[in-house]
Amino acid sequence: MLVLGMMSGTSADGIDAALVRISGAPPSLSVKLEGHYHARFPARVRQAILRLANGSATTTAEISQLNFLLGEQLARAALEACVRWRLPLGKLELIGSHGQTIYHQGAGSRFLGARRVASTLQIGEPAIIAARTGVTTIGDFRPADMAAGGQGAPLVPFVDYLLYRNRKLGRVALNIGGIANVTLIPAGASVENVLAFDTGPGNMLIDALVSAISRGRKAFDADARIGLRGRAIRPLLEEMLRHRYLRQAPPKTAGREQFGQEYAQELLDWAKKRRARPEDLVRTVTIFTALSIADAFRRFIFPRAHVNELIVAGGGAKNPLLMAQLGAALPGIEIVGSARFGVPAEAKEAFAFAILAYESFHGRANNLPSATGAKHPAILGKLVHGHAR
């Protein structure tokens, strides 16, 4: 099948689309990336997403409207991608769309006096995508895992295991998106041996600080130009490394609830009170991001397995300061980009959701209970039929 995977991450900078040719079934799944396309969100749309995701005041009407608007944006990205690849829509057989997360609480909490409730909400209506493209679409992947008692994340480890398992090498797949997450695949691992969890912030805090410091003129620290001009603020770094999330044992998921706008504002207030330079603050947070990942290795990964290779994907892989600090903190491990395995860093998550959609379409369980904490395997996603052909 030719499957289009689509992803909009926590940075909300736009939509990544990956065209994947897939055949067979696990453990003999054959996959090949045929193309990657990125569509940026209009500034107003990105602002609306971030405002909702950061918990700002909204209405049910606004959430409903944005759900359908993002469905249109995702459908447009799919159509534009097919034009770019000169691919007739009739040859595209399936679309898998993660949508845009605006709320995720993997662990349950008391709600309305009832039992503990966990919930997640991804918007970007898949019915709109199916209607505009005519292609059967699977979306809303996370709730099925949560209904099975899992945290609904991370989901990409299912694909990491299929792609990177090796009889002799212990590997960790690291994705540095808005949030950073790891998948440990020990040498000769069976699926039950895989460990995966969110380590903490990826680009999320860096992006938030850069946006605030530049008054919205910059969305991220391109090539770490700001961070490389600064010096680490040791007292702040030490305080950040005591964050309680880092000590929490897997399975665990992170998001804006821990490392979003509220936490970024605390850091900005800390720096303002002490008259710290903006570039010093950005450098400190970049180093914290790398050290929080390394801390997860020491606490939860090294006690379980020997690691030969670290395979890195996501936008953070392009931050030279973050990557240099990560290399220094994890000596003896070869760090390679996911492109070595045929998938560029920026295409990895969209690529993964194409594979997850393919498995769902064929009625096969595609969560990883060892990663999410689910009580049993589950078939993820909700299917919307395309036009009759």
Side-chain angles (χ1 to χ4, degrees):
M1 294 182 76
L2 270 178
V3 185
L4 181 69
M6 291 196 292
M7 176 75 188
S8 174
T10 47
S11 296
D13 58 343
I15 299 162
D16 283 300
L19 181 65
V20 188
R21 187 176 298 276
I22 314 175
S23 60
S28 300
L29 195 68
S30 175
V31 296
K32 182 184 178 183
L33 179 67
E34 299 279 352
H36 171 249
Y37 177 75
H38 180 76
R40 296 191 69 82
F41 282 133
R44 287 184 179 179
V45 172
R46 182 173 190 264
Q47 290 166 7
I49 292 170
L50 293 177
R51 187 165 46 77
L52 264 63
N54 284 321
S56 299
T58 186
T59 62
T60 51
E62 184 179 27
I63 295 171
S64 179
Q65 291 285 80
L66 191 58
N67 178 41
F68 274 66
L69 177 63
L70 287 186
E72 299 285 2
Q73 293 283 324
L74 288 157
R76 182 180 302 168
L79 294 170
E80 289 174 354
C82 288
V83 170
R84 175 71 60 88
W85 300 323
R86 298 180 180 177
L87 175 71
L89 269 177
K91 292 189 176 181
L92 187 61
E93 297 169 84
L94 183 67
I95 293 175
S97 175
H98 171 271
Q100 176 67 57
T101 298
I102 59 169
Y103 184 77
H104 183 83
Q105 181 178 309
S109 63
R110 300 285 296 179
F111 181 67
L112 297 181
R115 62 185 179 85
R116 296 173 68 84
V117 176
S119 67
T120 190
L121 183 59
Q122 285 73 46
I123 59 174
E125 179 53 54
I128 296 291
I129 303 170
R132 301 294 178 264
T133 63
V135 179
T136 295
T137 299
I138 297 177
D140 209 13
F141 287 83
R142 300 192 184 276
D145 181 82
M146 297 183 76
Q151 296 208 9
L155 299 183
V156 173
F158 175 85
V159 176
D160 290 335
Y161 174 70
L162 295 177
L163 293 179
Y164 302 138
R165 68 190 188 279
N166 187 283
R167 191 165 55 86
K168 296 182 178 180
L169 297 177
R171 288 171 167 163
V172 171
L174 167 64
N175 187 74
I176 311 175
I179 292 296
N181 52 71
V182 290
T183 305
L184 167 64
I185 311 160
S190 65
V191 70
E192 293 80 13
N193 303 133
V194 175
L195 173 70
F197 58 94
D198 292 344
T199 61
N203 305 311
M204 180 179 289
L205 279 176
I206 304 169
D207 292 351
L209 295 181
V210 169
S211 179
I213 291 165
S214 68
R215 297 184 180 180
R217 292 190 298 273
K218 295 179 180 179
F220 62 98
D221 188 12
D223 299 319
R225 294 185 192 118
I226 299 173
L228 286 170
R229 294 200 308 266
R231 299 179 64 181
I233 307 169
R234 183 164 295 276
L236 177 59
L237 182 59
E238 291 173 351
E239 182 180 331
M240 295 178 76
L241 286 169
R242 290 192 290 269
H243 196 290
R244 63 182 180 180
Y245 181 82
L246 305 188
R247 300 190 301 273
Q248 183 181 331
K252 60 178 181 175
T253 57
R256 295 188 181 279
E257 294 71 32
Q258 295 91 355
F259 300 107
Q261 192 60 45
E262 184 177 342
Y263 189 51
Q265 190 59 53
E266 290 178 16
L267 298 176
L268 288 164
D269 293 342
W270 190 99
K272 183 177 180 180
K273 184 176 180 180
R274 292 160 179 81
R275 298 184 179 180
R277 299 189 308 163
E279 56 266 39
D280 293 346
L281 183 59
V282 172
R283 186 182 186 93
T284 302
V285 171
T286 303
I287 292 174
F288 166 68
T289 299
L291 293 183
S292 66
I293 295 168
D295 182 76
F297 273 72
R298 286 190 291 272
R299 290 179 190 270
F300 309 118
I301 292 176
F302 289 151
R304 295 177 65 123
H306 177 72
V307 178
N308 302 96
E309 291 181 347
L310 175 59
I311 304 164
V312 186
K318 296 183 177 181
N319 184 310
L321 175 59
L322 196 162
M323 294 306 298
Q325 187 66 52
L326 190 60
L330 296 173
I333 298 176
E334 183 182 5
I335 299 179
V336 300
S338 62
R340 179 184 290 188
F341 297 85
V343 184
E346 60 272 18
K348 171 72 183 302
E349 290 197 291
F351 175 84
F353 277 92
I355 297 173
L356 290 170
Y358 175 87
E359 289 297 289
S360 295
F361 183 81
H362 287 92
R364 294 190 286 262
N366 51 355
N367 66 332
L368 210 58
S370 63
T372 65
K375 296 175 182 176
H376 56 78
I379 300 171
L380 308 179
K382 299 167 185 174
L383 185 147
V384 181
H385 290 286
H387 300 162
R389 298 186 182 182

